[in-house]
């Protein structure tokens, strides 16, 4: 397997933190379980990550930081998330800084960069309201224009890190008439505001991420100077929606880290638990359940890694890509964690009996991810509004468009190609009928047909893949035809059936992403990946969501995947299509020692 430099930071962070299974290490499962029981905010743990310098990787290089790509970003977020979602989410609220990198003035960008680098500063997003939820246009917090600035009055709730953040991004109604152009976005530096004109609500008790700083923020005739307006007046909703395109895809990395830990700790149990004269792992049913969980992780990898790269390659399409990613990955992995819980039996329900109760904690903590930054329903609704245009555009595509599409797909999926710099100005509110991943399914199938029978690919694997992807293409054709010819549903009153169709589109997009990833990386991600048996099984699981009839799959393929799962687990590798090295269980770091900078490791 080729070394991929975009994963070096994740590996460096891993080595510095040490194994989470070792109690004395920073962010160990034992330590974070104690914080969770006490509902304590991880203050020292957050500071340790700042001291390591992780905040620099949230700041673009042209603003003095070290952010280079979203693929690198989601890898180290997975490293944090596999240890403790409470800490990972609390630290990663810094990704709201992308609102400023996207729309801020040069002065605002430099101000925020200094705040993050020098002041251990973090931020929160104040969009939702107690009475309006995700209806951003209906928000009632008012920003009244006055000489030199605005006066804010109203409340935002619930807000993560509302109390502890130094920078607050606030969406306010600046036009009494309201509407899509009636909202503006402000980057508030609390240090520059009159402390008597704003305050925070009490901490909210939550089901998971119990130590989270979850509360609200209110303003009472709070003067905000003009220089805190982000973008132009009336541009707030547009910026908010474009910001969601970024953060929705990044949220999926939280789910990936959680899923890795849940599968890993369940495998620990299965390998060591003796029943009826054998281990649980030796029993066919629990082994298949765990293999299916691993397959779900691999499919989600293909979707989210491609999305992370796609930000750089096809940003104009992200109203579609991010909606699919944010729906498919958290929902799939949340269900996966529920499914594998049966292998733990009663220990699933115990908070400290196996691996410090990390499975039960991860399951509770991860249940919020599908709600973050637009719930699953919100993301499906976004797809519904664009599906008609996607269906019609696919039928009108010209040959020259296909050449450009294939070039973009290669750059998005070939993990060895250099990515262009992220251009946030190219994000668009609608994809205008373009989704390279699903619309590239026909050309990917043609490539599959042209492979013939190379010596390194089993003929049965190729035959299965051809049958499966012909079925995916048929389902996509049928869905496109029905949507293109049907009546378009406006507003928020779409039918139940349209939501089901949107779910189906997510499964097709995910299946296409798996195929594109395999076709573009067969020579560089190792023998297991190249053989493609995992791909057949992933496609089978996705196809089962769309049609009751699937091609027969050789059962031996499951054993191949089981062997790979076991190999990665024993080698302390990330359970992923890119199984980068994790900290060994013998790697112990003093909890009182500072987390070391990555620089020495990256220079090797």
């Amino acid at each position: 397997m080729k070394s991929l430099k975009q994963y070096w930071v994740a590996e460096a962070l891993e080595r510095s933190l040490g194994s989470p299974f070792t109690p004395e290490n920073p962010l160990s499962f034992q330590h974070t379980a104690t914080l969770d029981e006490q509902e304590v905010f991880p203050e020292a743990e957050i500071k340790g990550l700042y001291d390591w310098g992780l905040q620099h990787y949230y700041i673009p290089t042209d603003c003095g930081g070290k952010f280079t790509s979203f693929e690198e970003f989601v890898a180290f977020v997975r490293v944090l998330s596999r240890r403790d979602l409470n800490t990972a989410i609390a630290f990663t609220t810094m990704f709201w800084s992308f609102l400023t990198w996207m729309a801020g003035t040069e002065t605002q960008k430099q101000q925020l960069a200094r705040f993050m680098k020098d002041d251990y500063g973090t931020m929160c997003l104040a969009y939702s309201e107690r009475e309006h939820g995700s209806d951003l246009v209906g928000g009632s917090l008012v920003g009244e224009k006055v000489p030199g600035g605005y006066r804010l009055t109203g409340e935002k709730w619930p807000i993560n890190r509302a109390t502890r953040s130094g920078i607050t991004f606030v969406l306010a109604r600046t036009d009494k008439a309201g509407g899509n152009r009636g909202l503006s976005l402000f980057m508030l530096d609390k240090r520059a505001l009159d402390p008597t004109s704003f305050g925070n609500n009490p901490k909210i008790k939550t089901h998971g991420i119990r130590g989270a700083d979850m509360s609200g923020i209110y303003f009472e005739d709070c003067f905000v100077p003009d220089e805190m307006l982000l973008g132009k007046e009336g541009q707030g909703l547009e910026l908010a929606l474009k910001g969601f395109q970024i953060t929705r895809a990044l949220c999926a990395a939280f789910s990936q880290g959680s899923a890795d830990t849940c599968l890993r700790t369940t495998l620990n149990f299965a390998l060591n638990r003796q029943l009826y004269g054998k281990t649980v792992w030796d029993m066919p049913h629990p082994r298949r359940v765990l293999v299916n969980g691993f397959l779900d992780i691999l499919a989600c990898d293909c979707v989210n890694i491609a999305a992370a790269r796609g930000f750089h390659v096809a940003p104009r399409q992200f109203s579609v890509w991010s909606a699919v990613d944010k729906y498919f990955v958290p929902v799939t992995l949340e269900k996966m964690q529920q499914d594998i819980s049966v292998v733990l039996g009663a220990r699933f329900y115990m908070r400290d009996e196996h691996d410090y109760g990390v499975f039960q904690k991860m399951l509770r903590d991860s249940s919020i991810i599908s709600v973050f930054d637009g719930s699953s329903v919100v993301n499906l609704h976004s797809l519904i509004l664009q599906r008609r245009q996607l269906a019609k555009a696919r039928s009108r595509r010209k040959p020259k468009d296909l050449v450009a599409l294939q070039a973009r797909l290669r750059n998005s999926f070939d993990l060895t190609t250099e990515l262009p710099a992220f251009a946030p100005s190219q994000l668009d509110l609608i994809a205008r009928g373009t989704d390279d991943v699903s619309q590239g399914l026909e050309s990917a199938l043609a490539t599959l047909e042209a492979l013939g029978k190379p010596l390194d690919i089993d003929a049965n694997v190729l035959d299965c893949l051809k049958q499966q992807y012909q079925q995916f293409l048929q389902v996509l054709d049928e869905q496109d035809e029905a949507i293109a010819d049907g009546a378009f549903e406006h507003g928020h009153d779409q039918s139940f059936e349209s939501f089901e169709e949107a779910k189906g589109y997510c499964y097709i997009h995910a299946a296409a992403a798996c195929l594109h990833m395999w076709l573009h990386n067969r020579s560089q991600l190792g023998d297991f990946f190249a053989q493609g048996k995992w791909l057949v099984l992933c496609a089978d699981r996705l196809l089962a969501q769309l049609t009751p009839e699937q091609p027969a799959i050789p059962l031996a393929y499951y054993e191949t995947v089981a062997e790979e799962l076991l190999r990665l687990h024993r080698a302390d590798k990330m359970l992923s299509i890119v199984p980068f090295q994790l900290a060994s269980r013998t790697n112990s770091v003093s909890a009182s020692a500072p987390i070391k900078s990555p620089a020495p490791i990256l220079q090797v």
Side-chain angles (χ1 to χ4, degrees):
M1 177 175 168
K2 292 185 178 179
S3 176
L4 299 171
K5 65 181 181 180
Q6 57 267 43
Y7 293 85
W8 289 356
V9 174
E11 289 187 331
L13 183 59
E14 265 289 328
R15 295 184 193 183
S16 297
L17 292 171
S19 172
F21 289 96
T22 305
E24 60 267 29
N25 284 349
L27 292 177
S28 70
F29 294 145
Q30 183 186 64
H31 178 59
T32 56
T34 300
L35 294 178
D36 184 67
E37 290 292 331
Q38 298 171 351
E39 300 190 18
V40 174
F41 185 81
E43 200 78 62
E45 292 67 32
I46 296 290
K47 184 178 183 302
L49 296 173
Y50 275 111
D51 291 340
W52 190 84
L54 191 59
Q55 69 274 27
H56 294 271
Y57 293 92
Y58 292 71
I59 304 169
T61 53
D62 60 3
C63 293
K66 297 182 180 180
F67 172 85
T68 56
S69 79
F70 285 107
E71 185 181 6
E72 177 183 83
F73 188 99
V74 298
F76 70 68
V77 170
R78 288 174 77 167
V79 165
L80 287 181
S81 301
R82 85 180 193 95
R83 288 167 163 76
D84 180 37
L85 279 172
N86 189 33
T87 302
I89 292 168
F91 192 86
T92 303
T93 57
M94 277 194 290
F95 64 26
W96 285 114
S97 60
F98 280 97
L99 289 166
T100 301
W101 314 142
M102 175 173 61
T105 64
E106 192 59 32
T107 298
Q108 288 172 325
K109 291 178 182 178
Q110 292 304 322
Q111 174 193 352
L112 185 59
R114 285 193 302 271
F115 174 71
M116 294 168 68
K117 290 188 293 184
D118 302 335
D119 298 333
Y120 287 0
T122 191
M123 57 216 65
C124 72
L125 188 78
Y127 283 5
S128 62
E129 298 182 6
R130 197 184 299 262
E131 300 300 326
H132 302 284
S134 59
D135 179 11
L136 301 185
V137 177
S140 56
L141 188 147
V142 174
E144 179 186 1
K145 188 73 180 79
V146 295
Y150 297 80
R151 290 196 177 275
L152 301 188
T153 300
E155 179 191 62
K156 294 292 183 179
W157 181 97
I159 307 300
N160 188 25
R161 297 215 70 172
T163 302
R164 295 171 182 268
S165 61
I167 296 289
T168 302
F169 292 99
V170 177
L171 197 62
R173 180 188 294 276
T174 51
D175 185 340
K176 292 181 180 180
N180 293 343
R181 288 293 175 183
L183 299 173
S184 299
L185 186 61
F186 296 87
M187 185 182 81
L188 305 186
D189 187 338
K190 290 180 179 178
R191 299 170 298 182
L193 303 178
D194 178 358
T196 67
S197 65
F198 71 94
N200 293 103
N201 306 114
K203 172 178 163 57
I204 301 168
K205 287 186 173 293
T206 51
H207 173 69
I209 55 171
R210 292 173 173 174
D213 171 26
M214 192 74 70
S215 60
I217 186 168
Y218 59 86
F219 301 91
E220 296 177 350
D221 199 26
C222 177
F223 177 74
V224 175
D226 282 327
E227 55 265 28
M228 290 187 183
L229 177 66
L230 199 61
K232 299 176 181 179
E233 184 176 310
Q235 198 179 6
L237 182 62
E238 178 184 346
L239 294 178
L241 295 178
K242 288 181 177 179
F244 278 147
Q245 291 179 21
I246 299 173
T247 58
R248 283 171 178 168
L250 302 185
C251 280
F254 294 142
S255 295
Q256 290 175 297
S258 171
D260 184 280
T261 290
C262 284
L263 183 55
R264 195 177 300 272
T265 188
T266 307
L267 186 53
N268 286 343
F269 175 82
L271 290 170
N272 291 286
R273 175 68 166 168
Q274 293 278 340
L275 288 174
Y276 314 114
K278 61 180 69 176
T279 67
V280 171
W281 172 253
D282 291 329
M283 299 176 182
H285 177 263
R287 186 166 65 250
R288 176 70 66 84
V289 170
L290 294 175
V291 166
N292 284 341
F294 183 39
L295 291 168
D296 287 342
I297 287 177
L298 298 181
C300 288
D301 263 16
C302 294
V303 173
N304 198 43
I305 292 175
R309 294 179 62 85
F311 272 122
H312 301 262
V313 180
R316 297 188 189 280
Q317 302 179 29
F318 262 76
S319 58
V320 171
W321 285 35
S322 64
V324 172
D325 195 14
K326 180 58 168 59
Y327 171 78
F328 179 79
V329 175
V331 167
T332 299
L333 295 182
E334 188 175 333
K335 182 178 184 302
M336 180 276 278
Q337 291 170 104
Q338 291 279 2
D339 289 346
I340 65 174
S341 70
V342 300
V343 177
L344 286 173
R347 282 165 179 77
F348 148 67
Y349 207 66
M350 300 176 186
R351 281 160 52 178
D352 58 6
E353 190 66 26
H354 170 67
D355 283 347
Y356 314 104
V358 68
F359 187 101
Q360 207 256 14
K361 178 179 178 297
M362 283 289 183
L363 196 63
R364 282 187 288 107
D365 289 351
S366 64
S367 63
I368 190 62
I369 299 170
S370 60
V371 179
F372 276 157
D373 300 353
S375 67
S376 297
V377 171
V378 169
N379 285 287
L380 291 174
H381 176 259
S382 176
L383 287 174
I384 291 170
L385 297 180
Q386 299 184 76
R387 272 299 282 124
R388 187 181 184 87
Q389 196 169 10
L390 287 168
K392 290 186 173 182
R394 184 164 164 255
S395 64
R396 296 195 298 263
R397 188 174 59 209
K398 300 176 181 178
K400 66 176 182 179
D401 298 329
L402 181 59
V403 174
L405 180 149
Q406 290 172 331
R408 290 193 301 270
L409 282 174
R410 180 177 181 274
N411 205 181
S412 295
F413 284 91
D414 184 342
L415 304 189
T416 63
T417 59
E418 290 293 325
L419 292 170
F422 174 54
S425 62
Q426 293 185 20
L427 291 173
D428 206 341
L429 294 180
I430 56 173
R432 305 184 189 282
T434 308
D435 174 13
D436 286 349
V437 179
S438 295
Q439 291 170 354
L441 187 55
E442 288 171 288
S443 62
L445 185 56
T447 301
L448 195 64
E449 295 281 359
L451 285 177
K453 296 182 179 180
L455 296 178
D456 61 335
I457 304 178
D458 185 278
N460 288 331
V461 169
L462 275 179
D463 287 343
C464 283
L465 289 174
K466 291 173 185 177
Q467 293 178 59
Q468 290 172 320
Y469 279 93
Q470 284 286 1
Q471 284 187 274
F472 281 118
L473 189 58
Q474 181 180 346
V475 173
L476 179 60
D477 287 340
E478 292 171 353
Q479 193 181 89
D480 279 357
E481 183 178 355
I483 290 173
D485 294 340
F488 180 68
E489 300 176 65
H490 296 274
H492 294 272
D493 295 329
Q494 283 80 16
S495 65
F496 174 85
E497 289 74 19
S498 62
F499 278 92
E500 292 302 299
E501 287 176 342
K503 290 179 185 178
Y505 187 80
C506 290
Y507 296 129
I508 295 169
H509 180 110
C514 291
L515 180 57
H516 295 312
M517 192 67 74
W518 183 68
L519 289 173
H520 288 288
N521 294 280
R522 285 180 47 245
S523 63
Q524 53 223 22
L525 290 183
D527 291 341
F528 168 78
F529 183 89
Q531 288 171 6
K533 295 176 182 178
W534 68 272
L535 176 58
V536 171
L537 295 175
C538 283
D540 183 64
R541 290 179 64 74
L542 293 166
L543 198 56
Q545 304 294 324
L546 300 167
T547 175
E549 298 181 5
Q550 301 95 46
I553 306 298
L555 294 180
Y557 290 7
Y558 287 101
E559 290 308 308
T560 299
V561 177
E563 291 171 6
E564 176 69 2
L565 173 59
L566 202 57
R567 185 188 73 81
L568 295 180
H569 178 66
R570 287 172 172 166
D572 290 314
K573 297 289 186 73
M574 182 65 80
L575 305 180
S576 171
I577 62 167
V578 186
F580 59 85
Q581 186 62 52
L582 302 179
S584 168
R585 292 198 182 206
T586 60
N587 180 10
S588 178
V589 179
S590 171
S592 61
I595 304 172
K596 295 180 181 179
S597 163
I601 297 172
L602 298 183
Q603 290 173 356
V604 172

